[in-house]
């Protein structure tokens, strides 16, 4: 049996931080001669990266690959102060595309460190956001990724502990870890507002709704995208068979056998055209009905860095009035 109904999660795809990071690179491409250098992937999506490479962006792992004085963009995941120091020492022209919600977590870590607290960061080892956040207070931040690690973590003074969170965690998983930490450290200080960002939470809520009705859920997103991987896990926990795919070409038709209803969503770094390609594929296989299932309305926007926006507006004006 081929699918007859497609359930589209809403919200899905680009968040405000990804929109902003992509706008930053586009503005830089308008303003500066190529190549433009970006430290790490600007956002974790293969298609976004490939399209920028074609337009003259060079992605580097570290700043020592960037020529002195060149334009270097920091990715949406943020960087540690040490990376900023290296950029200044090399006289690089830095443009910072760090998502403001990642910056918020950095500022919390700075504040907790100033207060002399040990900081426990709930997050995934090796993720760029986690590396950048931990770099704000080297030696003061302990990373915890599982319940077992939360049970085992040791701090110098259990009375002076604060917790922060990677922005793209599974909401339910993070709650369980947080409960362990609260039990172990009754005076645990938490940030005034959630660190797991609105986009992560909203996309997880939306995928839960479709996964309760669909036998199969397809999540558009790259395998190194933390929030996309969480969407697949959340869909599976809600009862669907869930698959993370970079694009329509990765769909195995066998996954869809016997599934009358297929859910589709996209991680915060996956472009909408990839979703529409999957919808077209499912329609070709007989799906007649497309239903959008909305968990919450989203109206979040982040403006680009003001100096970049001013320079870009000036250039646009110059073009308009030669
Ligand atoms: S997923 Fe959240 S923290 Fe990450 S870029 Fe998007 S809005 Fe910012």
């Amino acid at each position: 049996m081929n699918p007859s109904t497609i359930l589209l999660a809403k919200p899905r795809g680009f968040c405000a931080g990804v929109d902003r990071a992509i706008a930053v690179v586009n503005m830089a491409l308008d303003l500066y001669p190529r190549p433009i250098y970006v430290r790490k992937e600007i956002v974790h999506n293969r298609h976004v990266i490939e399209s920028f490479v074609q337009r003259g962006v060079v992605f580097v792992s570290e700043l020592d690959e960037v020529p002195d004085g060149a334009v270097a963009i920091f990715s949406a995941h943020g960087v540690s102060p040490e990376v900023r120091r290296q950029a200044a020492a090399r006289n690089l022209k830095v443009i910072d595309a760090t998502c403001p919600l990642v910056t918020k977590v950095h500022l919390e870590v700075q504040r907790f460190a100033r207060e002399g607290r040990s900081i426990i960061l709930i997050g995934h080892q090796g993720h760029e956001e986690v590396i950048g956040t931990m770099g704000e207070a080297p030696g003061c931040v302990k990373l915890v990724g599982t319940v077992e690690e939360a049970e085992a973590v040791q701090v110098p003074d259990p009375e002076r502990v604060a917790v922060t969170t990677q922005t793209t965690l599974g909401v339910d998983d993070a709650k369980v870890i947080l409960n362990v930490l609260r039990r172990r450290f009754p005076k645990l200080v938490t940030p005034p507002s959630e660190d797991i960002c609105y986009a992560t939470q909203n996309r997880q809520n939306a995928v839960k709704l479709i996964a309760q009705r669909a036998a199969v859920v397809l999540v558009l997103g790259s395998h190194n995208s933390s929030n996309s991987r969480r969407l697949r896990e959340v869909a599976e926990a809600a009862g669907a068979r869930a698959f993370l795919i970079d694009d329509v070409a990765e769909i195995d038709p066998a996954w869809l056998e016997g599934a009358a209803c297929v859910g589709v969503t996209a991680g915060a770094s996956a472009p909408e055209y990839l979703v529409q390609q999957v919808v077209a594929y499912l329609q070709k296989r007989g799906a007649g009905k497309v239903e959008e299932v909305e968990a919450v309305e989203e109206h979040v926007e982040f403006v680009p860095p003001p100096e970049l926006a001013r320079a870009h507006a000036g250039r646009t004006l110059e073009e308009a009035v030669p």
Side-chain angles (χ1 to χ4, degrees):
M1 182 176 64
N2 283 322
S4 59
T5 304
I6 303 167
L7 297 181
L8 277 180
K10 189 175 177 196
R12 63 178 177 274
F14 281 4
C15 59
V18 166
D19 266 337
R20 176 180 185 269
I22 289 174
V24 163
V25 181
N26 280 327
M27 285 178 172
L29 281 168
D30 282 348
L31 282 169
Y32 301 104
R34 286 145 212 224
I36 301 285
Y37 293 85
V38 178
R39 183 185 176 275
K40 310 284 184 189
E41 294 190 346
I42 185 74
V43 300
H44 285 153
N45 185 271
R46 180 162 69 75
H47 290 272
V48 172
I49 299 305
E50 284 172 3
S51 78
F52 276 135
V53 168
Q54 280 169 13
R55 293 172 57 209
V57 175
V58 174
F59 291 92
V60 297
S61 302
E62 290 306 338
L63 291 183
D64 52 17
E65 298 164 58
V66 180
D68 286 352
V71 173
I73 301 178
F74 294 155
S75 80
H77 309 99
V79 297
S80 67
E82 177 53 29
V83 173
R84 292 182 194 282
R85 273 192 288 276
Q86 286 168 15
R90 301 273 320 286
N91 201 23
L92 300 180
K93 172 148 189 46
V94 167
I95 303 173
D96 191 356
T98 303
C99 175
L101 298 181
V102 174
T103 302
K104 163 184 169 288
V105 180
H106 282 227
L107 295 174
E108 285 163 4
V109 168
Q110 288 173 13
R111 177 166 66 85
F112 290 144
R114 274 198 307 274
E115 292 170 357
R117 298 181 192 280
S118 295
I119 301 154
I120 297 176
L121 171 64
I122 307 177
H124 298 292
Q125 179 92 45
H127 190 277
E128 276 141 36
E129 181 188 320
V130 163
I131 294 168
T133 305
M134 290 182 79
E136 289 291 350
C140 299
V141 185
K142 305 236 176 190
L143 181 64
V144 157
T146 62
V147 166
E148 293 71 30
E149 288 170 4
E151 291 286 4
V153 67
Q154 297 297 327
V155 293
D157 181 356
E159 305 264 295
R160 296 194 63 74
V161 188
V163 68
T164 58
T165 313
Q166 187 180 334
T167 56
T168 50
L169 294 184
V171 173
D172 297 335
D173 297 342
K175 257 185 208 149
V176 178
I177 294 176
L178 196 55
N179 286 342
V180 172
L181 294 173
R182 282 205 172 102
R183 171 174 52 71
R184 289 199 57 214
F185 309 109
K187 293 196 174 160
L188 187 73
V189 172
T190 54
S193 65
E194 267 290 352
D195 286 336
I196 299 180
C197 77
Y198 80 96
T200 299
Q201 299 191 30
N202 290 348
R203 280 151 193 70
Q204 288 179 18
N205 288 339
V207 82
K208 253 185 218 170
L209 293 182
I210 60 168
Q212 285 159 4
R213 293 171 53 194
V216 171
V217 170
L218 303 174
V219 179
L220 272 306
S222 289
H223 290 259
N224 60 344
S225 159
S226 174
N227 80 85
S228 303
R229 290 168 62 153
R230 303 294 85 79
L231 288 179
R232 195 205 66 76
E233 290 167 6
V234 169
E236 206 160 69
R241 282 184 293 126
F243 302 93
L244 179 61
I245 52 171
D246 246 312
D247 53 39
V248 67
E250 290 187 359
I251 298 176
D252 179 345
W255 297 342
L256 308 174
E257 292 295 332
C261 184
V262 175
V264 184
T265 188
S269 44
E272 175 65 13
Y273 72 85
L274 298 173
V275 172
Q276 293 309 321
Q277 287 172 355
V278 169
V279 170
Y281 169 92
L282 294 171
Q283 285 175 323
K284 246 192 196 161
R285 295 179 67 91
K289 189 174 161 211
V290 181
E291 185 187 334
E292 202 159 57
V293 180
E294 181 163 12
V296 60
E297 272 187 44
E298 238 176 39
H299 304 284
V300 181
E301 276 180 38
F302 296 139
V303 293
E307 25 353 300
L308 181 69
R310 272 196 300 274
H312 192 260
R315 182 185 183 273
T316 322
L317 197 65
E318 231 171 68
E319 279 169 353
V321 190

